[in-house]
Amino acid sequence: MATFKTTFLFYYSILLLSSIFSTQTTSSPDHQPLKTYIIQLHPQAMSLSPSLFKSKLHFHLSFLQKIINDPPSSRLLYSYRSAMDGFAAQLSDSELHSMQKLHHVIAIRPDRVHKLHTTYSYKFLGLSPTIKTGAWVKSGFGRGSIIGVLDTGVWPESPSFNDQGMPPVPTKWRGLCQPGDSFNTSNCNKKLIGARFFSKGHRVASVTPTENEVSEYLSARDSHGHGTHTASTAAGSAVPMASVLGNGAGEARGMAPGSHIAIYKVCWFSGCYSSDILAAMDEAIRDGVDILSLSLGGFPIPLYDDSIAIGSFRAMEHKISVICAAGNNGPIANSVANVAPWVATVGASTLDRRFPAVVRMGDGRFLYGESMYPGNLHPGSEKVLEVVYLNGGDRGSNYCFKDSLPRDKVAGKMVVCDRGVNGRAEKGQVVKESGGAAMILANTEINMEEDSIDAHVLPATLIGFTESVHLKNYINSTKRPTARIIFGGTEIGKTRAPSVAQFSSRGPSFMDPVIPKPDIIAPGVNILAAWPQNLGPSGLPEDSRRVNFTVMSGTSMSCPHVGGLAALIRAAHPKWSPAAIKSALMTTADTTDHYGKPIMDGNKPAGILAMGSGHVNPERAIQPGLIYDISPNDYIVHLCGIGYTKSQIFTITHRNVSCHDMMKKNRGFSLNYPSISVVFGSGMNSKMIKRRVTNVGDPNSVYTIKVVPPEGVKVRVRPRRLTFSRLNQSLSYRVWLILRKSSGSKRGKFGQGQLTWMNLKDDKIKIRSPILVTRSSNKNKNHM
């Protein structure tokens, strides 16, 4: 645990520094620099003097009026009233000190920058419009559900947002289509029912784009592509003959093609600011969304400092499912972000679709690589070239930085570029500008064999770390090394999948060590989805090619997959809580790949801290049989149980509680989470936890237990049989976990197992919970 704390303090200090350096530097009248802060107020503060203020906005302005000489409205960025009670404003250091002293101010946080973390994936997940008992048909393709996407905006003209065949806009919808730069109300329709943009936090950061940046639209229109890609992944309409320059051809569909989309643009060229994100969540709650998809985040931070965690708690209270990306900082342990137990945290997995672009070296050996460059359609792309790898000096030539490649050394040649630091496609542009004819992008040790690919601007391929070692050995042992790239188009079904993506962030979480995160994994590598017409498929400003689709990789792509699947479940079961929807997704997830073998994480079977409960299986999740439900009050008891203070819990939940009283009323409390995790501190050798399942299947159902215990742990479950006589009936069970004295397991080691409730009438219905046991040398009282 000491190592966890040290790493956490390192991460957190970096985050605090980034918060400080990212804020704007305009000055107050006394020449003190201004920074953006989010000021959280007591939720009942205004009710104590309602006659004094016309609205929440006027109430919030009154706080600024007390401490600044400028007009209050000149400093106010946002007034929050749904995701949180409070406001965002610009303050000097002295004004911040004065604000902290004001009555009803309960927390002040600096504005932080968060980073942005298909034709085939729906088929890979088993979704089909022709199966009458399948998830698409049962849910009406997500009909009636509204998915709110917080991202870089949308390109509304994309065919993925065509509203042909869409049902009318739901009567509950209260949002709007906000006009702006190259965007007006006519850009919305029955598919894209709302669009807003939030730029005040970004604008006052005083960061100017570089000359190579794509021009921004001051509207909901997308100038980066990320938001268009994620929105279409979640709920894009069917588009026949979709491809990227001829690769990956097929019919493109989102996970919930019958659902509606609402766009909230919060991300700009400098990132996504927490003040803008919170303002978007504030509006989305009032607009009436059912699902919120957030493909953004950063390093893990405490929940009481996390605007997304605070806003999502309010959203959950309004029955909104919040789906978040786990982050792209894997395979480093403890890197998982967005870990609040009331959100679904999604890691990334691979598909069994590949785009081979094999390197044939001059000595006749082959190196496997992949690329979206359409070399198979351009025969001249496969000619033999001299290979160069410039790894000397201090110009970063091995990474192919801009202006690092001397033209006389690379002109007409195939250039090897190490992966890392600058963008993959950007390296190809540098090679092209320097006169190079082709590129081999070589994974370094940290990337291993991970194969995120791009639609490069010149003939290029990406090879794994093992292949890169062979290539460099060949270059170093040959006077004039040569090679050619052989492009193979698209292949499906020839490789094992899914597996965990190397970049997908890993647990355990510092913020809540007894809730395993991520919760689940979903497709996130080489995902093909919609793309704006103002960008080339590489996303580079210099790329003049134009396409309707491109490929991207990241947990940003995994997140909208689950957001769309949550919309399907919501449409099929409109009365279910966010916890019930997440339970359905987690307890029906797969732990084996399409070959029936364990899902892999690199060269080893994937564990809970890499894949959570497993890989999403929508066909099973739509009818799970049993669900684990959780009320908002249960989360508060859980926060008390893991040591959060009264003031910290109040900041997160706006609930004024006594943890002493709550724990006294809930002795032996276990959060009713779909996965099971126990931390054994020093001197502990046994632990009992409770769970409660609700029958959402056949009214008369019987389930029996099957347990695979973690190594060195005895697991006992009582009762071993659950007999239900009606729909929505809830039954409880207990689990005892006992460390075996002769296990020989070292302290601090993780043990993994699983607990599954098996339906006696239907062997397809299995409700599985992974079990994670952590042995720690620390004396603690961590419990479920």
Side-chain angles (χ1 to χ4, degrees):
M1 293 297 289
T3 304
F4 290 178
K5 290 180 179 177
T6 302
T7 310
F8 164 65
L9 290 172
F10 171 71
Y11 279 156
Y12 196 39
S13 62
I14 289 176
L15 194 75
L16 289 173
L17 286 171
S18 70
S19 302
I20 293 168
F21 292 126
S22 67
T23 51
Q24 67 93 39
T25 56
T26 55
S27 298
S28 64
D30 57 358
H31 305 293
Q32 292 187 44
L34 298 178
K35 300 172 185 176
T36 302
Y37 295 93
I38 296 172
I39 297 91
Q40 188 169 354
L41 305 177
H42 193 289
Q44 276 79 51
M46 184 176 166
S47 63
L48 300 176
S49 52
S51 60
L52 299 179
F53 305 102
K54 296 179 181 179
S55 65
K56 277 279 181 77
L57 172 62
H58 289 86
F59 179 57
H60 295 160
L61 288 169
S62 72
F63 283 81
L64 292 171
Q65 197 166 13
K66 294 174 183 177
I67 63 167
I68 68 174
N69 296 320
D70 295 342
S73 58
S74 69
R75 300 283 197 89
L76 184 76
L77 300 183
Y78 294 109
S79 173
Y80 307 121
R81 51 197 173 97
S82 295
M84 187 193 80
D85 283 307
F87 56 95
Q90 294 182 278
L91 303 173
S92 67
D93 288 345
S94 61
E95 291 164 352
L96 171 64
H97 186 65
S98 299
M99 181 68 76
Q100 289 169 332
K101 296 179 180 179
L102 294 183
H103 191 44
H104 299 314
V105 173
I106 63 172
I108 300 179
R109 293 180 291 279
D111 205 3
R112 294 195 173 96
V113 183
H114 299 261
K115 298 299 180 183
L116 293 164
H117 277 338
T118 79
T119 53
Y120 179 64
S121 56
Y122 70 87
K123 294 180 182 177
F124 182 75
L125 294 174
L127 293 168
S128 171
T130 61
I131 301 175
K132 293 183 179 180
T133 58
W136 266 355
V137 175
K138 280 186 177 179
S139 67
F141 297 85
R143 183 185 178 96
S145 293
I146 303 172
I147 304 173
V149 180
L150 274 66
D151 215 295
T152 64
V154 68
W155 194 264
E157 293 83 6
S158 166
S160 290
F161 307 116
N162 186 306
D163 68 349
Q164 185 175 355
M166 284 294 295
V169 176
T171 56
K172 66 179 180 180
W173 176 244
R174 298 181 296 276
L176 55 82
C177 198
Q178 182 180 0
D181 189 8
S182 299
F183 199 99
N184 56 53
T185 55
S186 65
N187 289 123
C188 291
N189 56 26
K190 290 183 291 184
K191 165 59 73 176
L192 186 63
I193 64 173
R196 299 178 185 264
F197 64 98
F198 304 84
S199 62
K200 295 177 182 178
H202 154 77
R203 178 174 50 81
V204 300
S206 294
V207 180
T208 56
T210 66
E211 60 181 14
N212 292 325
E213 292 282 357
V214 176
S215 298
E216 290 278 10
Y217 296 99
L218 191 60
S219 70
R221 183 171 289 277
D222 186 6
S223 57
H224 297 271
H226 194 275
T228 300
H229 198 279
T230 57
S232 67
T233 300
S237 300
V239 182
M241 301 302 293
S243 72
V244 183
L245 305 173
N247 284 317
E251 183 175 64
R253 291 183 189 231
M255 296 299 101
S259 292
H260 308 277
I261 300 171
I263 296 296
Y264 300 87
K265 182 176 177 178
V266 297
C267 298
W268 308 82
F269 65 83
S270 59
C272 322
Y273 287 81
S274 53
S275 57
D276 295 331
I277 294 168
L278 195 59
M281 297 179 80
D282 200 60
E283 292 287 1
I285 291 171
R286 292 194 295 275
D287 284 349
V289 302
D290 299 302
I291 313 292
L292 278 175
S293 177
L294 287 79
S295 291
L296 45 88
F299 286 116
I301 58 175
L303 300 185
Y304 53 82
D305 262 345
D306 186 347
S307 294
I308 293 176
I310 294 168
S312 61
F313 188 89
R314 285 294 188 89
M316 175 271 300
E317 289 184 303
H318 285 82
K319 308 297 184 185
I320 299 169
S321 292
V322 182
I323 318 297
C324 293
N328 299 334
N329 294 317
I332 300 169
N334 314 113
S335 58
V336 64
N338 295 318
V339 298
W342 44 88
V343 307
T345 309
V346 187
S349 64
T350 63
L351 299 171
D352 63 355
R353 178 178 61 186
R354 305 192 109 179
F355 305 94
V358 178
V359 177
R360 188 183 191 275
M361 297 187 293
D363 62 2
R365 290 183 295 162
F366 291 89
L367 303 174
Y368 182 77
E370 292 196 49
S371 177
M372 285 295 285
Y373 184 81
N376 56 322
L377 304 179
H378 303 282
S381 303
E382 299 187 347
K383 60 185 177 182
V384 177
L385 298 169
E386 183 179 350
V387 181
V388 293
Y389 175 54
L390 306 179
N391 62 340
D394 57 359
R395 300 176 65 184
S397 299
N398 61 312
Y399 287 109
C400 299
F401 291 153
K402 189 174 179 62
D403 300 323
S404 71
L405 301 177
R407 180 173 289 271
D408 61 335
K409 293 185 179 181
V410 303
K413 299 177 182 178
M414 185 178 295
V415 183
V416 178
C417 301
D418 285 334
R419 185 172 170 183
V421 188
N422 54 336
R424 299 185 303 269
E426 180 186 337
K427 296 174 191 288
Q429 180 65 31
V430 171
V431 171
K432 183 178 180 180
E433 290 174 352
S434 303
M439 176 182 70
I440 299 176
L441 187 56
N443 274 2
T444 56
E445 189 172 7
I446 192 170
N447 305 115
M448 298 180 68
E449 311 311 312
E450 190 262 309
D451 56 355
S452 297
I453 60 174
D454 304 272
H456 291 284
V457 295
L458 81 173
T461 187
L462 170 71
I463 60 174
F465 176 63
T466 302
E467 285 87 350
S468 71
V469 172
H470 293 317
L471 174 65
K472 291 170 186 177
N473 286 339
Y474 164 66
I475 293 172
N476 293 333
S477 64
T478 308
K479 187 174 181 180
R480 187 180 181 274
T482 61
R484 64 184 289 239
I485 303 174
I486 305 169
F487 295 93
T490 306
E491 291 182 352
I492 292 176
K494 294 186 178 182
T495 57
R496 285 182 60 180
S499 62
V500 179
Q502 282 294 299
F503 59 76
S504 188
S505 289
R506 309 302 208 268
S509 163
F510 293 117
M511 308 311 129
D512 193 342
V514 297
I515 297 294
K517 292 281 184 169
D519 290 308
I520 206 162
I521 56 173
V525 177
N526 303 332
I527 302 304
L528 192 151
W531 196 243
Q533 276 287 305
N534 68 323
L535 288 173
S538 68
L540 298 171
E542 301 88 349
D543 190 352
S544 61
R545 300 171 296 177
R546 291 296 178 262
V547 294
N548 281 324
F549 297 88
T550 198
V551 290
M552 297 185 78
S553 297
T555 55
S556 283
M557 284 62 252
S558 312
C559 176
H561 275 87
V562 176
L565 299 182
L568 296 182
I569 298 173
R570 177 66 178 256
H573 308 284
K575 294 184 179 180
W576 281 15
S577 68
I581 292 172
K582 182 165 71 169
S583 171
L585 289 164
M586 291 175 64
T587 60
T588 59
D590 293 326
T591 57
T592 56
D593 63 23
H594 285 193
Y595 284 77
K597 298 179 179 179
I599 291 174
M600 298 298 287
D601 178 11
N603 57 6
K604 64 183 184 298
I608 298 168
L609 299 177
M611 69 171 180
S613 293
H615 194 266
V616 287
N617 184 330
E619 292 301 315
R620 290 185 58 214
I622 202 74
Q623 194 170 355
L626 304 175
I627 53 99
Y628 293 87
D629 210 353
I630 305 174
S631 72
N633 196 59
D634 291 336
Y635 290 117
I636 296 173
V637 181
H638 171 72
L639 293 175
C640 285
I642 61 174
Y644 275 66
T645 67
K646 179 178 180 178
S647 62
Q648 291 168 347
I649 293 173
F650 188 78
T651 300
I652 299 166
T653 69
H654 280 184
R655 305 276 190 96
N656 193 8
V657 300
S658 165
C659 279
H660 178 268
D661 292 344
M662 292 199 84
M663 297 310 296
K664 191 175 180 180
K665 293 177 182 177
N666 295 273
R667 293 189 185 278
F669 174 83
S670 303
L671 185 67
N672 201 41
Y673 213 70
S675 56
I676 295 171
S677 177
V678 172
V679 180
F680 284 106
S682 178
M684 293 178 62
N685 57 20
S686 66
K687 181 72 181 175
M688 186 274 289
I689 64 166
K690 300 175 183 176
R691 286 292 186 271
R692 182 184 66 258
V693 287
T694 301
N695 181 28
V696 293
D698 185 359
N700 297 297
S701 301
V702 180
Y703 291 84
T704 59
I705 195 69
K706 180 181 179 181
V707 176
V708 178
E711 184 180 357
V713 179
K714 180 180 179 181
V715 179
R716 191 174 69 197
V717 181
R718 293 293 184 272
R720 296 187 60 83
R721 176 185 291 244
L722 297 175
T723 302
F724 296 91
S725 57
R726 64 181 186 277
L727 190 63
N728 296 320
Q729 180 183 1
S730 294
L731 295 175
S732 297
Y733 66 92
R734 298 187 180 196
V735 183
W736 285 263
L737 297 103
I738 305 159
L739 291 180
R740 297 182 185 275
K741 293 181 181 180
S742 59
S743 66
S745 300
K746 295 180 180 179
R747 287 180 174 178
K749 184 179 178 181
F750 298 109
Q752 303 182 53
Q754 61 184 36
L755 177 158
T756 308
W757 287 104
M758 317 281 289
N759 188 298
L760 286 183
K761 291 182 180 179
D762 187 346
D763 59 7
K764 293 181 181 179
I765 300 178
K766 302 172 183 177
I767 299 87
R768 176 186 166 275
S769 294
I771 301 173
L772 177 67
V773 171
T774 306
R775 302 170 184 88
S776 170
S777 58
N778 284 4
K779 291 184 178 181
N780 57 53
K781 59 176 183 178
N782 286 337
H783 40 236
M784 295 301 294

